[in-house]
Amino acid sequence: YAGLDSVLHPAGYDISIFEMADAHDRHEFFATLPVRRNVDAVIEASFDFDEAKKQVLGDLTIPVVGMNAPSTHGLDAGVAIDDEASMATIVRFLKSLGHKTLAYIEQPRLRKKGFSEASQACGYADEDIIVMPSLSHIDARSEQDIYSGIVAQLLSAPKQPTAICVSVDAVAAPLLKELRRMGWRVPQDVSLVGFDDDDTATALDLTTMHQDPAEIGRIAARKTLALLNGETLDEPFTVMPTSLVLRGTTERVS
């Protein structure tokens, strides 16, 4: 949001934020959008549109710009990181440290595919990989109950993981706390790698994949302004670089 605002506000545009936590929220937004018809553009973050929603946006004839969208279909422009390549970098790094069994804690994002494909490419067998289901599918319980259940499943796995990947840094904090409560030392017994490099990662001294969301917002805003001005973009879709940040939650397997 800060990146978007730094470009759009000086250009005279206000930003209305619509949080869409689930499919119901998205349905409500698109059901009322044609009635409003008071937006100059739509900028969406981190989710895809089905065909019906793409039709609604197409009928409005306004620019539609994506930020870290799973697909470019239905978008006029976008900026995103390469989730699959970034996850592959993490898996190759853990392989280089000698980790034999990996676990992946899934969030409702499109990084699982990159993890799975990179694991296969690095020679991990199915029995060497543990993928925990998306946390969005877990029944509403206390945070400790959720992460206690995750750690209990990891402890009871036929092969306990020597490294754990989480798809967003925010998952790492409660997971790290629960791992230590259950007697696992990080990184001596198990390494932990996050994704995003947000403030959580810095506070936890967490090894993670860095991306720059503010710059993604700025680039998306500049593309939006150009489309609003009737310009043709030389590069409608931009892929942003990521980089692995090494901190204290990973170490080589002895």
Side-chain angles (χ1 to χ4, degrees):
Y1 175 80
L4 290 172
D5 189 63
S6 69
V7 174
L8 294 176
H9 183 73
Y13 288 93
D14 296 322
I15 303 174
S16 296
I17 300 176
F18 296 87
E19 294 188 10
M20 301 181 191
D22 52 33
H24 176 266
D25 291 345
R26 290 193 290 274
H27 174 76
E28 289 296 314
F29 173 79
F30 282 95
T32 57
L33 181 59
V35 177
R36 296 191 189 104
R37 292 188 179 276
N38 62 345
V39 297
D40 297 292
V42 171
I43 302 174
E44 64 89 7
S46 301
F47 66 86
D48 202 3
F49 301 119
D50 60 29
E51 291 302 323
K53 295 178 179 60
K54 290 168 185 170
Q55 183 64 47
V56 170
L57 294 172
D59 290 343
L60 293 177
T61 63
I62 59 176
V64 183
V65 178
M67 297 188 300
N68 278 342
S71 168
T72 60
H73 184 48
L75 301 177
D76 298 301
V79 54
I81 65 170
D82 189 329
D83 282 301
E84 293 182 20
S86 299
M87 284 303 309
T89 297
I90 291 174
V91 173
R92 289 194 298 269
F93 167 66
L94 293 173
K95 179 77 172 181
S96 73
L97 294 182
H99 289 282
K100 304 296 185 183
T101 306
L102 307 182
Y104 180 73
I105 311 300
E106 180 189 1
Q107 279 284 89
R109 300 172 72 104
L110 288 187
R111 291 170 183 165
K112 175 184 174 182
K113 183 173 182 285
F115 174 84
S116 299
E117 291 181 350
S119 299
Q120 293 177 357
C122 286
Y124 287 100
D126 290 345
E127 59 268 24
D128 300 326
I129 300 298
I130 304 168
V131 177
M132 305 295 292
S134 171
L135 298 183
S136 64
H137 297 158
I138 298 177
D139 295 336
R141 291 175 286 172
S142 71
E143 184 176 87
Q144 181 172 333
D145 287 343
I146 291 173
Y147 288 96
S148 292
I150 290 173
V151 174
Q153 290 185 59
L154 295 177
L155 281 168
S156 61
K159 287 185 177 181
Q160 291 185 9
T162 61
I164 301 171
C165 301
V166 296
S167 56
V168 291
D169 289 340
V171 171
L175 181 63
L176 181 60
K177 178 180 178 181
E178 189 60 24
L179 285 168
R180 287 171 172 166
R181 192 182 74 83
M182 297 292 286
W184 278 14
R185 298 173 301 161
V186 178
Q188 294 87 348
D189 298 327
V190 63
S191 288
L192 181 63
V193 182
F195 202 114
D196 288 332
D197 196 21
D198 62 19
D199 293 341
T200 302
T202 303
L204 295 177
D205 193 27
L206 177 71
T207 294
T208 188
M209 183 60 67
H210 172 81
Q211 65 167 314
D212 188 343
E215 182 61 13
I216 288 174
R218 287 188 287 268
I219 293 175
R222 288 194 286 268
K223 290 180 185 293
T224 302
L225 288 179
L227 292 171
L228 287 170
N229 292 329
E231 300 174 19
T232 299
L233 299 176
D234 293 333
E235 184 183 67
F237 297 96
T238 300
V239 178
M240 295 290 289
T242 57
S243 57
L244 189 61
V245 180
L246 304 184
R247 297 194 178 103
T249 58
T250 51
E251 71 175 23
R252 183 174 296 278
V253 176
S254 57

